[in-house]
Amino acid sequence: NSFCTLLNYDMTSSSPPKGQTGAEAPPDAESEASQAKLADARLLYASYFFAAWGDRMWKFAAVVFLLEIFPDTLLPASLFGFCESASGIAFGASVGDFIDANDRLPVIRRSIAGQNVTIFFASLLFAYAIYELTTWTDAGKWLVVWLIIIAGMIAKVASTMNKVSIHKDWCVVVAGGVRSVQTRVNANMRRVDMICSICAPLFVGVSSAVIKPAATCLVIAVWAACSMWVEYQLSQRVYDAVPGLAIKPPKEAPDSPTSPSRLDGGHAPPGKSNPVSAYFARQSVILKQYWHHRAFAVSIPYALLYMSVLSLHGTMVSYLRALGVADFWLAFGRALGAFVAIGSTYAVPRMVARMGLIRTGVSTLWGQVFCLTPLFLAFIFLAGDWDA
């Protein structure tokens, strides 16, 4: 299921640039210009590796260590996952607007600072709370939980800004419009992402078993502090090496068929009205844009895949740990799924070249159905045996 999901993700996130068709073109020759672009992209891979590693460590550790504070209930971990996802939904459009309205380097630096500073202080709070756990009252524990939840929401928004900036903006500019380079950059970025998904949770699981959870929180805090400086330096080097990053594309014309003013009946959201009213007006416009987008019908069933509980994230990790599953095995399960998913970054180009984009998408969707159906039936018919 992880393999098929990543196949579809890679295809939906690697659409041709605006103005090009989806037809297959012969691969570009490996020119000196292409090699130079790929060399610049390596610095971008390194920068993203540090960001993704810290993000994956934090997401796994936050859910697991909340159960150290409240071992008898899944409510704190569930609240953390809910609030983190809600912050991404609520501020996703604002993040996109901020990226579009500002220069690339300040945007990426603010995302780096927001993510790492938040993780640094939250990890220190985690370490202190776990180390002094026996002295905390229930009210004090819940205060820590809510501070962690707020930190998770801030880190989520900053992480979203970093990912969107790198994947949808910096990578495109670094590739310079060369389709073969763009394909390789997209695939390599996915590999970096999957490697971090494999190794970072596994590192947290092993570390918490060897040097205890409180010390693991300190390790995460030190990583965040060091990672911030490294990411700053690498992003600066990429920015200096690629002149196109200093040039922002022109904004969408106000009379565009998909512009907010056209979709909102000719009236754009008020700029100087009540901020709350302006926010909800903006969200209404975004929903209309999404509704009219050609990818709407395809994206809905794909999004429903995330309703599945067969993913080792958030609530399921908390539930398994409450059943007594060790951190190492939780991390191992996530690592195994991510390791299998890395295969999608190698399989997508070959499948699309042989079968075409549409057939590849349909076949992988059916692959997901075949993977999920036996597990779904097992949950139904074997539930009684598990309870026993």
Side-chain angles (χ1 to χ4, degrees), residues 29-40 174-175 178 181:
E30 290 291 341
S31 62
E32 293 183 3
S34 296
Q35 291 297 329
K37 291 179 174 63
L38 290 172
D40 295 333
V174 169
V178 181
V181 175

Side-chain angles (χ1 to χ4, degrees), residues 12 84 89 116 157 162 354:
T12 56
E84 186 186 46
I89 295 172
N116 288 289
V157 173
N162 187 278
R354 178 169 295 187

Side-chain angles (χ1 to χ4, degrees), residues 38-342:
L38 290 172
D40 295 333
R42 293 188 187 101
L43 295 174
L44 199 59
Y45 305 153
S47 176
Y48 184 66
F49 169 80
F50 282 91
W53 185 278
D55 184 58
R56 298 302 182 276
M57 282 201 302
W58 162 252
K59 286 184 176 179
F60 183 77
V63 173
V64 170
F65 294 155
L66 279 172
L67 288 174
E68 292 284 340
I69 302 175
F70 283 95
D72 299 325
T73 177
L74 300 180
L75 180 59
S78 299
L79 283 174
F80 178 85
F82 174 80
C83 293
E84 186 186 46
S85 300
S87 66
I89 295 172
F91 298 105
S94 300
V95 166
D97 292 339
F98 183 81
I99 293 173
D100 290 339
N102 294 274
D103 293 334
R104 292 185 174 94
L105 188 60
V107 167
I108 203 72
R109 283 184 168 179
R110 291 181 186 181
S111 69
I112 291 169
Q115 180 180 356
N116 288 289
V117 170
T118 304
I119 293 176
F120 175 79
F121 285 107
S123 299
L124 292 180
L125 179 60
F126 251 137
Y128 178 72
I130 294 172
Y131 186 75
E132 299 287 345
L133 186 60
T134 56
T135 64
W136 288 87
T137 63
D138 286 343
K141 290 179 181 180
W142 275 108
L143 175 62
V144 171
V145 168
W146 282 111
L147 290 175
I148 295 297
I149 288 174
I150 294 171
M153 295 170 66
I154 298 173
K156 174 68 174 180
V157 173
S159 176
T160 300
M161 185 185 300
N162 187 278
K163 289 179 181 178
V164 173
S165 296
I166 291 179
H167 285 269
K168 302 298 183 182
D169 194 7
W170 285 58
C171 285
V172 175
V173 176
V174 169
V178 181
R179 186 166 185 175
S180 62
V181 175
Q182 183 71 62
T183 300
R184 291 181 63 177
V185 169
N186 288 341
N188 289 334
M189 292 295 287
R190 290 300 303 162
R191 287 169 193 149
V192 170
D193 204 21
M194 289 296 99
I195 289 171
C196 293
S197 296
I198 291 172
C199 299
L202 194 60
F203 172 81
V204 172
V206 172
S207 178
S208 63
V210 174
I211 63 173
K212 304 304 180 185
T216 301
C217 293
L218 294 178
V219 171
I220 295 174
V222 171
W223 175 274
C226 297
S227 176
M228 179 175 170
W229 182 83
V230 174
E231 289 178 63
Y232 262 56
Q233 299 301 316
L234 290 173
S235 60
Q236 182 67 61
R237 290 185 62 182
V238 176
Y239 188 82
D240 293 338
V242 183
L245 290 172
I247 304 172
K248 291 288 289 187
K251 295 183 179 180
E252 186 181 56
D255 59 347
S256 170
T258 59
S259 65
S261 59
R262 290 289 298 274
L263 291 174
D264 199 33
H267 301 284
K272 296 183 179 180
S273 61
N274 187 318
V276 176
S277 300
Y279 171 80
F280 284 105
R282 172 62 173 155
Q283 298 304 312
S284 175
V285 171
I286 292 169
L287 287 175
K288 289 181 181 179
Q289 287 180 305
Y290 178 50
W291 178 268
H292 290 279
H293 199 279
R294 62 180 183 177
F296 172 79
V298 178
S299 64
I300 289 297
Y302 180 74
L304 291 177
L305 287 173
Y306 291 89
M307 296 290 288
S308 170
V309 297
L310 301 176
S311 177
L312 280 172
H313 294 86
T315 303
M316 188 172 184
V317 170
S318 304
Y319 175 70
L320 293 175
R321 197 173 189 276
L323 292 179
V325 179
D327 295 347
F328 172 80
W329 293 111
L330 293 174
F332 179 78
R334 292 189 65 172
L336 183 61
F339 180 78
V340 174
I342 288 179

Side-chain angles (χ1 to χ4, degrees), residues 1-5 7-8 301-302 304-305 308 310 360-378:
N1 183 47
S2 296
F3 180 81
C4 296
T5 301
L7 282 171
N8 284 283
Y302 180 74
L304 291 177
L305 287 173
S308 170
L310 301 176
T360 301
V362 172
S363 63
T364 53
L365 286 173
W366 278 110
Q368 289 175 325
V369 172
F370 291 140
C371 289
L372 292 173
T373 299
L375 294 174
F376 173 74
L377 296 175

